[in-house]
Amino acid sequence: GIQVEQSPPDLILQEGANSTLRCNFSDSVNNLQWFHQNPWGQLINLFYIPSGTKQNGRLSATTVATERYSLLYISSSQTTDSGVYFCAAPYGGATNKLIFGTGTLLAVQP
Amino acid sequence: EAQVTQNPRYLITVTGKKLTVTCSQNMNHEYMSWYRQDPGLGLRQIYYSMNVEVTDKGDVPEGYKVSRKEKRNFPLILESPSPNQTSLYFCASSFKGWAYSNQPQHFGDGTRLSIL
């Protein structure tokens, strides 16, 4: 099955700073999603991004499918951005199994 | 309000005592799934269901059972819980499965199980 790796494993930022989180996957994927888990444990979909670039407010994501990676950009970070960011991809081919990366723990300090 | 509801939120129990974690969604979603989250391992899929009476194994199905008798409910059953099943569990649903993943997954708030 596909392997999904995220970097960095953890990151500390000052409020207002920008950051880039990376997700590498070992095989071609036909879709990829980014999720945010807030400090209270709640999981929220951020992006469905099999290819190209999408933006939602201060967050944007880019997936380069041919090179098997995706990037999540956080600009002008706020303390509410703290938490764990996961990317996830189908387990193998056009399947409904799902594999998550191990996440990036982000702490934004005031 | 659209939501995925899991119960219980917290449970401490003992090895071998059967337990069920319920999951219910009110969005008429076809796809439902269970995940467990462990430190350093991220989330791993246990089982998923494409629709009523259609279930399939995820990455870590051993020791778990599921059923999908109604569209809205997808309970997770631990027939004989063991300490290695101590974890944080999430249920999720979406309109369709991953083949149609422009539909977001909605997650429950999680169930923290401790098996002693």
Side-chain angles (χ1 to χ4, degrees):
Chain A
I2 190 172
Q3 305 295 317
V4 180
E5 295 181 349
Q6 291 186 243
S7 61
D10 43 67
L11 185 60
I12 301 174
L13 297 176
Q14 290 297 124
E15 204 167 21
N18 303 328
S19 63
T20 301
L21 282 55
R22 187 177 180 103
C23 174
N24 292 332
F25 33 96
S26 62
D27 203 351
S28 58
V29 297
N30 55 14
N31 63 64
L32 184 123
Q33 292 198 7
W34 283 95
F35 299 85
H36 175 224
Q37 185 172 36
N38 67 24
W40 296 270
Q42 296 170 319
L43 280 157
I44 306 293
N45 270 105
L46 294 177
F47 292 102
Y48 158 72
I49 184 80
S51 63
T53 297
K54 288 187 177 178
Q55 180 146 12
N56 184 2
R58 295 179 297 101
L59 272 61
S60 64
T62 295
T63 296
V64 183
T66 54
E67 296 187 25
R68 302 179 184 174
Y69 72 87
S70 183
L71 302 174
L72 178 69
Y73 304 96
I74 304 174
S75 64
S76 303
S77 57
Q78 301 177 357
T79 55
T80 52
D81 296 329
S82 297
V84 185
Y85 290 82
F86 294 102
C87 61
Y91 198 62
T95 176
N96 289 291
K97 293 184 182 181
L98 183 59
I99 185 164
F100 283 75
T102 52
T104 293
L105 174 60
L106 175 65
V108 181
Q109 298 178 336
Chain B
E1 179 188 352
Q3 59 186 1
V4 177
T5 303
Q6 293 178 229
N7 279 296
R9 292 291 313 282
Y10 305 91
L11 179 64
I12 301 173
T13 188
V14 296
T15 299
K17 186 177 180 181
K18 180 180 178 180
L19 68 90
T20 299
V21 184
T22 63
C23 175
S24 180
Q25 50 91 5
N26 62 0
M27 295 166 279
N28 201 36
H29 284 168
E30 291 185 358
Y31 181 89
M32 297 186 75
S33 183
W34 276 103
Y35 305 92
R36 60 178 288 175
Q37 184 175 18
D38 301 290
L41 297 176
L43 283 94
R44 293 178 292 169
Q45 191 173 36
I46 304 171
Y47 270 95
Y48 64 94
S49 169
M50 293 300 295
N51 212 326
V52 175
E53 302 292 1
V54 181
T55 63
D56 208 346
K57 296 177 181 179
D59 199 22
V60 287
E62 296 77 18
Y64 304 94
K65 287 175 60 176
V66 292
S67 68
R68 188 90 181 272
K69 293 183 169 56
E70 306 165 281
K71 200 171 189 180
R72 63 182 293 126
N73 295 323
F74 190 45
L76 180 70
I77 302 158
L78 285 71
E79 292 270 2
S80 183
S82 62
N84 65 12
Q85 293 177 299
T86 293
S87 188
L88 177 59
Y89 291 85
F90 287 97
C91 179
S93 73
S94 62
F95 181 62
K96 293 283 188 179
W98 269 78
Y100 308 90
S101 300
N102 57 341
Q103 302 293 327
Q105 285 199 75
H106 297 258
F107 288 85
D109 287 338
T111 295
R112 188 166 291 281
L113 287 183
S114 294
I115 316 279
L116 304 177

